[in-house]
Amino acid sequence: MLTAAICGDIFASPPVDSILAGIRAVTGPMGCLLIVTNYTGDRLYFGLAAEQAKSEGYKVETVIVGDDCALPPRRGIVGRRGLAGTILVNKIAGAAAEAGLPLSDVAAEAKRASELVGTMGVALSVCTLPGQVTSDRLGPGKMELGLGIHGEPGAAVADFQPVDIIVSHVLKEILSTETGYVPIKRGNRVVVMVNGLGATPMMELMITCGKVVPRLQLEHGLAVDRVYTGSFMTSLDMSGFSITVMKSDQAILQRLDAPTKAPHWPVAVDGNRPPAKIPIPMPASRVTKSDESLSRPTQLTPEGHILEVAIEAAANAIINIKDDLNEWDGKVGDGDCGSTMHKGAMAVLEDMKK
């Protein structure tokens, strides 16, 4: 991964002196590669520090990463923002450097990786800047599509949607042939990263990941080689996630799978491969349901009518107090009693129709 990271103030670029101090602290005879996210301040200050370091005799190369796929194609000179795809570029460059490649080759691998990756983020809340009033631009029930990692407004605000719809939209934006941000087409192999923005639980990231992989395979015709899930590039306490898709080949996978002691890189040497789907035969059920066993008599007795009404009333009563049961159970247990009973009652009513 990285040998050093230069920190600025919150959401601010580090000053030139800090960057220069970092270069001096870690740069050996092989030189130094600066991997810079595509923001004006970062480019300005890292660029100035690189020039000063060169004047002191250091070998310095710079690679700019702009993997944002949410904004329209470039208007003006700013270009695309650097997002979570930068993490994959860091890993590839770090592995290339660890393999002993010269600086020019390490820079070339990092630049190539930056051209193969696209990212788009979705947020359900804005982040809280310490000491500042939190923005209220996202009203209740609203989410933001295509935002940056410094709290910048996104490309669009929309109503809350199910995760399936969000994932489908984000993948279409990343893989759009109109913008052509990433050179990925049907039949290619890809690496996927589902990145939490700071306040998204791992379970929700895993749910998102579970929607991303089959859509890439079935809707876009892509083979998924690796999946990385976690909080890699966050935005303080923002609720949301970003999806990163990178075109992969054997050289890319070799770098991603190279061992690292970086404490939060999520996989070991063998890489994090999507599980293969293995068909498992269902065991024979001890109770075989047949149409006959589910059929009702042609005519119910008076007692049968009473029993039917009683069962329906009991099932509906349980359905109506689902939330109360969950609340009561939450005070003494795990809070799912109502949901469990609701499921059983619905099944009873469904069977009675048959």
Side-chain angles (χ1 to χ4, degrees), residues 195-268:
N195 169 63
L197 294 176
T200 308
M202 192 64 175
M203 180 182 288
E204 292 183 10
L205 295 179
M206 288 294 186
I207 290 170
T208 303
C209 193
K211 306 295 183 182
V212 170
V213 173
R215 271 179 167 69
L216 285 172
Q217 294 169 330
L218 301 176
E219 291 183 12
H220 298 279
L222 302 172
V224 180
D225 283 328
R226 300 287 185 276
V227 180
Y228 304 99
T229 310
S231 296
F232 301 99
M233 183 176 278
T234 59
S235 185
L236 299 179
D237 61 343
M238 185 179 286
S239 294
F241 62 86
S242 64
I243 300 173
T244 298
V245 184
M246 172 184 271
K247 186 177 181 180
S248 74
D249 54 31
Q250 201 52 46
I252 293 283
L253 296 180
Q254 183 181 359
R255 299 301 184 213
L256 292 175
D257 291 347
T260 174
K261 293 181 180 177
H264 290 288
W265 187 247
V267 295

Coordinates of all heavy atoms in Angstrom, one line a residue, residues 195-268:
N195 N -17.9 0.6 -0.9 CA -17.2 1.4 0.1 C -18.2 2.2 1.0 O -19.1 2.9 0.5 CB -16.3 2.4 -0.6 CG -15.7 3.5 0.3 OD1 -15.0 3.1 1.3 ND2 -16.1 4.7 0.1
G196 N -18.1 2.0 2.3 CA -19.0 2.8 3.2 C -18.4 4.2 3.4 O -17.2 4.4 3.4
L197 N -19.3 5.2 3.6 CA -18.9 6.6 3.6 C -18.8 7.1 5.1 O -18.5 8.2 5.3 CB -19.9 7.5 2.9 CG -20.0 7.2 1.4 CD1 -21.1 8.1 0.8 CD2 -18.6 7.6 0.8
G198 N -18.8 6.1 6.1 CA -18.5 6.5 7.4 C -19.5 6.0 8.5 O -19.1 5.7 9.6
A199 N -20.8 6.1 8.2 CA -21.8 5.7 9.2 C -22.7 4.5 8.7 O -23.8 4.3 9.2 CB -22.7 6.9 9.5
T200 N -22.2 3.8 7.7 CA -23.0 2.7 7.1 C -22.6 1.4 7.7 O -21.4 1.0 7.6 CB -22.9 2.7 5.6 OG1 -23.1 4.0 5.0 CG2 -23.9 1.7 5.0
P201 N -23.5 0.7 8.4 CA -23.1 -0.6 9.0 C -22.6 -1.6 7.9 O -23.1 -1.6 6.8 CB -24.4 -1.1 9.7 CG -25.3 0.1 9.8 CD -24.9 1.0 8.6
M202 N -21.8 -2.5 8.4 CA -21.2 -3.5 7.5 C -22.3 -4.4 6.9 O -22.2 -4.8 5.7 CB -20.2 -4.4 8.2 CG -19.4 -5.3 7.4 SD -18.3 -4.3 6.3 CE -17.4 -5.6 5.5
M203 N -23.4 -4.6 7.7 CA -24.5 -5.5 7.1 C -25.1 -4.8 5.9 O -25.4 -5.5 4.9 CB -25.5 -5.7 8.2 CG -26.7 -6.6 7.7 SD -27.9 -6.8 9.0 CE -27.1 -7.9 10.1
E204 N -25.3 -3.5 6.0 CA -25.9 -2.8 4.9 C -25.0 -2.8 3.7 O -25.4 -2.9 2.5 CB -26.3 -1.3 5.3 CG -27.4 -1.3 6.3 CD -27.8 0.1 6.7 OE1 -27.4 1.0 6.0 OE2 -28.6 0.2 7.6
L205 N -23.7 -2.7 3.9 CA -22.7 -2.7 2.8 C -22.8 -4.1 2.1 O -22.7 -4.2 0.9 CB -21.3 -2.4 3.3 CG -21.0 -1.0 3.8 CD1 -19.6 -0.9 4.3 CD2 -21.3 0.0 2.7
M206 N -22.9 -5.1 3.0 CA -23.0 -6.5 2.4 C -24.2 -6.7 1.6 O -24.2 -7.4 0.6 CB -22.9 -7.5 3.6 CG -21.5 -7.6 4.2 SD -20.3 -8.3 3.0 CE -18.9 -8.4 4.1
I207 N -25.4 -6.1 2.1 CA -26.6 -6.2 1.3 C -26.4 -5.6 0.0 O -26.8 -6.1 -1.1 CB -27.8 -5.6 2.1 CG1 -28.1 -6.4 3.4 CG2 -29.0 -5.4 1.2 CD1 -29.0 -5.7 4.3
T208 N -25.8 -4.4 0.0 CA -25.5 -3.7 -1.3 C -24.7 -4.5 -2.2 O -24.9 -4.7 -3.4 CB -24.8 -2.3 -1.0 OG1 -25.7 -1.5 -0.1 CG2 -24.6 -1.6 -2.3
C209 N -23.6 -5.1 -1.6 CA -22.7 -6.0 -2.4 C -23.4 -7.1 -3.0 O -23.2 -7.5 -4.1 CB -21.6 -6.4 -1.5 SG -20.2 -7.2 -2.4
G210 N -24.4 -7.7 -2.2 CA -25.2 -8.8 -2.7 C -26.1 -8.5 -3.9 O -26.5 -9.3 -4.6
K211 N -26.4 -7.2 -4.1 CA -27.1 -6.7 -5.2 C -26.2 -6.4 -6.4 O -26.6 -6.5 -7.6 CB -28.0 -5.5 -4.9 CG -28.9 -5.7 -3.7 CD -30.0 -6.7 -3.9 CE -30.9 -6.8 -2.7 NZ -31.9 -7.8 -2.9
V212 N -25.0 -5.9 -6.1 CA -24.1 -5.4 -7.1 C -23.6 -6.6 -8.0 O -23.6 -6.5 -9.2 CB -22.9 -4.7 -6.5 CG1 -21.8 -4.4 -7.5 CG2 -23.4 -3.3 -5.9
V213 N -23.1 -7.6 -7.3 CA -22.4 -8.7 -8.1 C -23.3 -9.4 -9.1 O -22.9 -9.5 -10.3 CB -21.8 -9.7 -7.1 CG1 -21.2 -10.9 -7.9 CG2 -20.7 -9.0 -6.3
P214 N -24.5 -9.8 -8.7 CA -25.3 -10.5 -9.7 C -25.8 -9.5 -10.9 O -25.9 -10.0 -12.0 CB -26.5 -11.0 -9.0 CG -26.5 -10.3 -7.7 CD -25.1 -9.9 -7.4
R215 N -25.9 -8.3 -10.6 CA -26.3 -7.3 -11.6 C -25.1 -7.1 -12.6 O -25.4 -7.1 -13.8 CB -26.7 -6.0 -11.0 CG -28.2 -5.9 -10.7 CD -28.6 -4.6 -10.1 NE -30.1 -4.5 -10.1 CZ -30.9 -5.3 -9.3 NH1 -30.3 -6.2 -8.6 NH2 -32.2 -5.1 -9.4
L216 N -23.9 -7.1 -12.1 CA -22.8 -7.0 -13.0 C -22.7 -8.2 -13.9 O -22.4 -8.1 -15.1 CB -21.5 -6.8 -12.2 CG -21.3 -5.4 -11.6 CD1 -20.0 -5.5 -10.7 CD2 -21.0 -4.4 -12.7
Q217 N -23.0 -9.4 -13.3 CA -22.9 -10.6 -14.1 C -24.0 -10.8 -15.1 O -23.8 -11.1 -16.2 CB -22.9 -11.8 -13.1 CG -21.6 -11.8 -12.2 CD -21.8 -12.8 -11.1 OE1 -22.9 -13.1 -10.6 NE2 -20.7 -13.4 -10.6
L218 N -25.3 -10.6 -14.6 CA -26.4 -10.9 -15.4 C -26.9 -9.7 -16.3 O -27.2 -10.0 -17.5 CB -27.6 -11.3 -14.5 CG -27.3 -12.5 -13.6 CD1 -28.5 -12.7 -12.7 CD2 -27.0 -13.7 -14.4
E219 N -26.8 -8.5 -15.8 CA -27.3 -7.4 -16.6 C -26.2 -6.8 -17.6 O -26.5 -6.4 -18.7 CB -27.9 -6.3 -15.7 CG -29.1 -6.7 -15.0 CD -29.7 -5.5 -14.2 OE1 -29.2 -4.4 -14.3 OE2 -30.6 -5.8 -13.4
H220 N -25.0 -6.8 -17.1 CA -23.9 -6.2 -17.8 C -23.0 -7.2 -18.5 O -22.0 -6.7 -19.2 CB -23.2 -5.2 -16.9 CG -24.0 -4.1 -16.4 ND1 -24.3 -2.9 -17.2 CD2 -24.7 -3.9 -15.2 CE1 -25.1 -2.1 -16.5 NE2 -25.4 -2.7 -15.3
G221 N -23.1 -8.4 -18.2 CA -22.3 -9.5 -18.8 C -20.9 -9.4 -18.4 O -20.0 -9.7 -19.3
L222 N -20.6 -9.1 -17.2 CA -19.2 -9.0 -16.7 C -18.8 -10.1 -15.7 O -19.7 -10.5 -15.0 CB -19.0 -7.6 -16.0 CG -19.3 -6.4 -16.9 CD1 -19.2 -5.1 -16.0 CD2 -18.3 -6.3 -18.0
A223 N -17.6 -10.6 -15.8 CA -17.1 -11.6 -14.8 C -16.5 -10.8 -13.7 O -15.6 -10.0 -13.9 CB -16.1 -12.5 -15.5
V224 N -16.9 -11.1 -12.4 CA -16.4 -10.4 -11.3 C -15.3 -11.3 -10.6 O -15.5 -12.4 -10.1 CB -17.5 -10.2 -10.2 CG1 -17.0 -9.5 -9.0 CG2 -18.7 -9.4 -10.9
D225 N -14.0 -10.7 -10.7 CA -12.9 -11.5 -10.2 C -12.6 -11.3 -8.7 O -12.2 -12.2 -8.0 CB -11.6 -11.0 -10.9 CG -11.5 -11.6 -12.3 OD1 -12.0 -12.7 -12.5 OD2 -11.0 -10.9 -13.2
R226 N -12.9 -10.1 -8.2 CA -12.6 -9.8 -6.8 C -13.7 -8.8 -6.3 O -14.2 -8.0 -7.0 CB -11.3 -9.1 -6.6 CG -10.1 -9.9 -7.0 CD -9.8 -11.1 -6.1 NE -8.5 -11.7 -6.5 CZ -8.5 -12.7 -7.5 NH1 -9.6 -13.0 -8.1 NH2 -7.3 -13.2 -7.8
V227 N -14.0 -9.0 -4.9 CA -15.0 -8.1 -4.3 C -14.4 -7.6 -3.0 O -13.9 -8.4 -2.2 CB -16.3 -8.9 -4.0 CG1 -17.3 -7.9 -3.3 CG2 -16.9 -9.4 -5.3
Y228 N -14.4 -6.3 -2.8 CA -13.9 -5.7 -1.6 C -15.0 -4.9 -0.9 O -15.6 -4.0 -1.6 CB -12.7 -4.8 -1.8 CG -11.5 -5.5 -2.5 CD1 -11.4 -5.4 -3.9 CD2 -10.6 -6.3 -1.9 CE1 -10.3 -6.0 -4.6 CE2 -9.6 -7.0 -2.5 CZ -9.5 -6.8 -3.9 OH -8.5 -7.5 -4.5
T229 N -15.3 -5.2 0.3 CA -16.4 -4.5 1.0 C -15.9 -4.0 2.4 O -15.3 -4.7 3.1 CB -17.6 -5.5 1.3 OG1 -17.9 -6.2 0.1 CG2 -18.8 -4.8 1.8
G230 N -16.2 -2.7 2.6 CA -15.8 -2.1 3.9 C -15.7 -0.6 3.7 O -16.1 0.0 2.7
S231 N -15.2 0.1 4.8 CA -15.1 1.5 4.8 C -13.7 1.9 4.5 O -12.8 1.9 5.3 CB -15.6 2.1 6.1 OG -16.9 1.8 6.4
F232 N -13.4 2.2 3.2 CA -12.1 2.5 2.7 C -11.8 4.0 2.6 O -10.7 4.5 2.9 CB -11.8 1.8 1.4 CG -12.0 0.3 1.4 CD1 -13.2 -0.3 1.0 CD2 -11.0 -0.5 1.9 CE1 -13.4 -1.6 1.0 CE2 -11.2 -1.9 1.9 CZ -12.4 -2.4 1.5
M233 N -12.8 4.7 2.0 CA -12.6 6.2 1.9 C -13.9 6.8 2.4 O -14.9 6.8 1.7 CB -12.3 6.5 0.4 CG -12.1 8.0 0.2 SD -11.7 8.5 -1.5 CE -9.9 8.1 -1.5
T234 N -13.8 7.3 3.6 CA -15.1 7.8 4.3 C -15.2 9.3 4.2 O -14.3 10.0 3.7 CB -15.0 7.4 5.7 OG1 -13.9 7.9 6.4 CG2 -15.0 5.8 5.8
S235 N -16.3 9.8 4.6 CA -16.6 11.2 4.7 C -17.2 11.5 6.1 O -18.4 11.8 6.2 CB -17.6 11.6 3.6 OG -17.8 13.0 3.5
L236 N -16.3 11.4 7.1 CA -16.7 11.6 8.5 C -17.9 10.7 8.8 O -17.8 9.5 8.8 CB -17.1 13.1 8.7 CG -15.9 14.0 8.5 CD1 -16.3 15.5 8.8 CD2 -14.7 13.7 9.4
D237 N -19.1 11.3 9.2 CA -20.2 10.4 9.7 C -21.3 10.3 8.6 O -22.5 10.2 9.0 CB -20.8 11.0 11.0 CG -21.3 12.5 10.8 OD1 -21.0 13.1 9.8 OD2 -22.1 12.9 11.6
M238 N -21.0 10.4 7.4 CA -22.0 10.3 6.3 C -22.6 8.9 6.2 O -21.8 7.9 6.2 CB -21.4 10.8 5.0 CG -22.3 10.9 3.8 SD -21.6 11.4 2.3 CE -21.3 13.2 2.7
S239 N -23.9 8.9 6.1 CA -24.6 7.6 5.8 C -24.7 7.4 4.3 O -25.3 8.2 3.6 CB -26.0 7.6 6.4 OG -25.9 7.7 7.8
G240 N -24.1 6.3 3.8 CA -24.2 6.1 2.4 C -23.0 5.2 2.0 O -22.3 4.6 2.8
F241 N -22.9 5.0 0.7 CA -21.9 4.1 0.1 C -21.5 4.6 -1.3 O -22.2 5.4 -1.9 CB -22.4 2.6 0.1 CG -23.6 2.4 -0.8 CD1 -23.5 2.2 -2.2 CD2 -24.9 2.5 -0.3 CE1 -24.6 2.0 -3.0 CE2 -26.0 2.3 -1.1 CZ -25.8 2.1 -2.5
S242 N -20.4 4.0 -1.7 CA -20.0 4.2 -3.1 C -19.7 2.9 -3.7 O -19.3 1.9 -3.0 CB -18.8 5.2 -3.3 OG -17.7 4.6 -2.7
I243 N -19.9 2.8 -5.0 CA -19.6 1.5 -5.8 C -18.4 1.9 -6.7 O -18.5 2.9 -7.5 CB -20.8 1.0 -6.5 CG1 -21.9 0.7 -5.5 CG2 -20.4 -0.3 -7.3 CD1 -23.2 0.3 -6.2
T244 N -17.4 1.1 -6.7 CA -16.3 1.2 -7.6 C -16.2 0.0 -8.5 O -16.2 -1.1 -8.0 CB -15.0 1.4 -6.8 OG1 -15.1 2.6 -6.1 CG2 -13.8 1.5 -7.8
V245 N -16.0 0.2 -9.8 CA -15.8 -0.9 -10.7 C -14.5 -0.7 -11.5 O -14.3 0.4 -12.1 CB -17.0 -1.1 -11.7 CG1 -16.8 -2.3 -12.6 CG2 -18.3 -1.2 -11.0
M246 N -13.6 -1.6 -11.5 CA -12.3 -1.5 -12.2 C -12.2 -2.7 -13.2 O -12.4 -3.8 -12.8 CB -11.2 -1.5 -11.2 CG -9.8 -1.6 -11.9 SD -8.4 -1.6 -10.7 CE -8.1 0.1 -10.5
K247 N -11.8 -2.4 -14.4 CA -11.5 -3.4 -15.3 C -10.2 -4.2 -14.9 O -9.3 -3.6 -14.5 CB -11.2 -2.8 -16.7 CG -11.0 -3.9 -17.8 CD -10.9 -3.2 -19.2 CE -10.7 -4.2 -20.3 NZ -10.5 -3.5 -21.6
S248 N -10.3 -5.5 -14.9 CA -9.2 -6.3 -14.4 C -8.6 -7.2 -15.4 O -9.2 -7.5 -16.5 CB -9.7 -7.1 -13.2 OG -10.4 -8.3 -13.6
D249 N -7.4 -7.6 -15.2 CA -6.6 -8.6 -15.9 C -5.7 -9.2 -15.0 O -5.6 -8.9 -13.8 CB -5.9 -8.0 -17.1 CG -5.0 -6.8 -16.8 OD1 -4.4 -6.8 -15.6 OD2 -4.8 -5.9 -17.6
Q250 N -4.9 -10.1 -15.5 CA -4.0 -10.9 -14.6 C -3.0 -10.0 -13.9 O -2.6 -10.2 -12.7 CB -3.2 -12.0 -15.4 CG -2.7 -13.1 -14.5 CD -3.7 -13.7 -13.6 OE1 -4.9 -14.0 -14.0 NE2 -3.4 -13.9 -12.3
A251 N -2.5 -9.0 -14.6 CA -1.5 -8.0 -14.0 C -2.1 -7.3 -12.8 O -1.5 -7.1 -11.7 CB -1.0 -7.1 -15.0
I252 N -3.4 -6.8 -13.0 CA -4.1 -6.1 -12.0 C -4.3 -7.0 -10.8 O -4.1 -6.6 -9.6 CB -5.4 -5.5 -12.5 CG1 -5.2 -4.5 -13.6 CG2 -6.3 -5.0 -11.3 CD1 -4.9 -3.1 -13.1
L253 N -4.8 -8.2 -11.0 CA -5.1 -9.1 -9.9 C -3.8 -9.5 -9.1 O -3.8 -9.6 -7.9 CB -5.8 -10.4 -10.4 CG -7.1 -10.2 -11.1 CD1 -7.7 -11.5 -11.6 CD2 -8.1 -9.5 -10.1
Q254 N -2.7 -9.6 -9.8 CA -1.4 -9.9 -9.2 C -1.1 -8.8 -8.2 O -0.6 -9.1 -7.0 CB -0.3 -10.1 -10.2 CG 1.0 -10.5 -9.6 CD 2.1 -10.6 -10.6 OE1 1.9 -10.4 -11.8 NE2 3.3 -10.9 -10.2
R255 N -1.3 -7.6 -8.5 CA -1.0 -6.5 -7.6 C -2.0 -6.4 -6.5 O -1.6 -6.2 -5.3 CB -1.0 -5.1 -8.4 CG 0.0 -5.0 -9.5 CD 1.4 -5.2 -9.0 NE 2.4 -5.0 -10.1 CZ 3.5 -5.6 -10.2 NH1 3.9 -6.5 -9.3 NH2 4.4 -5.4 -11.2
L256 N -3.3 -6.6 -6.7 CA -4.3 -6.6 -5.7 C -4.1 -7.7 -4.7 O -4.4 -7.6 -3.5 CB -5.7 -6.6 -6.3 CG -6.1 -5.3 -7.1 CD1 -7.5 -5.6 -7.7 CD2 -6.1 -4.1 -6.2
D257 N -3.7 -8.9 -5.2 CA -3.5 -10.0 -4.3 C -2.2 -10.1 -3.6 O -2.0 -10.9 -2.7 CB -3.6 -11.3 -5.1 CG -5.0 -11.6 -5.7 OD1 -6.0 -10.9 -5.2 OD2 -5.2 -12.4 -6.5
A258 N -1.2 -9.2 -3.9 CA 0.1 -9.2 -3.3 C -0.1 -8.9 -1.8 O -0.9 -8.0 -1.4 CB 1.0 -8.1 -3.9
P259 N 0.6 -9.6 -0.9 CA 0.4 -9.4 0.5 C 0.8 -8.0 1.0 O 1.7 -7.4 0.4 CB 1.4 -10.5 1.1 CG 2.4 -10.7 0.1 CD 1.7 -10.6 -1.2
T260 N 0.1 -7.5 2.0 CA 0.4 -6.2 2.6 C 0.1 -6.3 4.1 O -0.8 -7.0 4.5 CB -0.5 -5.1 1.9 OG1 -0.3 -3.9 2.6 CG2 -2.0 -5.5 2.0
K261 N 0.8 -5.4 4.8 CA 0.6 -5.3 6.2 C -0.3 -4.1 6.6 O -0.5 -3.8 7.7 CB 1.9 -5.2 7.0 CG 2.8 -6.4 6.9 CD 4.1 -6.3 7.7 CE 4.9 -7.5 7.6 NZ 6.2 -7.4 8.2
A262 N -0.9 -3.5 5.5 CA -1.8 -2.4 5.8 C -3.0 -2.9 6.6 O -3.6 -3.9 6.2 CB -2.3 -1.8 4.5
P263 N -3.2 -2.3 7.8 CA -4.1 -3.0 8.8 C -5.5 -3.2 8.3 O -6.2 -4.1 8.8 CB -4.0 -2.0 10.0 CG -3.5 -0.7 9.5 CD -2.7 -1.1 8.3
H264 N -6.0 -2.4 7.4 CA -7.5 -2.5 7.0 C -7.7 -3.0 5.6 O -8.8 -2.9 5.1 CB -8.2 -1.1 7.3 CG -8.3 -0.8 8.7 ND1 -9.2 -1.5 9.5 CD2 -7.7 0.1 9.5 CE1 -9.1 -1.0 10.8 NE2 -8.2 0.0 10.8
W265 N -6.6 -3.5 5.0 CA -6.8 -4.1 3.7 C -7.6 -5.4 4.0 O -7.1 -6.2 4.8 CB -5.5 -4.3 2.9 CG -5.7 -4.8 1.6 CD1 -5.4 -6.1 1.1 CD2 -6.3 -4.1 0.4 NE1 -5.7 -6.2 -0.2 CE2 -6.3 -5.0 -0.7 CE3 -6.9 -2.9 0.3 CZ2 -6.8 -4.6 -1.9 CZ3 -7.4 -2.5 -0.9 CH2 -7.3 -3.4 -2.0
P266 N -8.7 -5.7 3.3 CA -9.6 -6.7 3.8 C -9.3 -8.2 3.5 O -10.0 -9.1 3.9 CB -10.9 -6.3 3.1 CG -10.5 -5.7 1.8 CD -9.2 -5.0 2.1
V267 N -8.2 -8.5 2.7 CA -8.0 -9.9 2.3 C -6.6 -10.3 2.5 O -5.7 -9.5 2.7 CB -8.4 -10.1 0.8 CG1 -9.9 -9.8 0.6 CG2 -7.6 -9.1 0.0
A268 N -6.4 -11.6 2.6 CA -5.1 -12.2 2.7 C -4.5 -12.4 1.3 O -5.0 -11.9 0.3 CB -5.2 -13.5 3.5

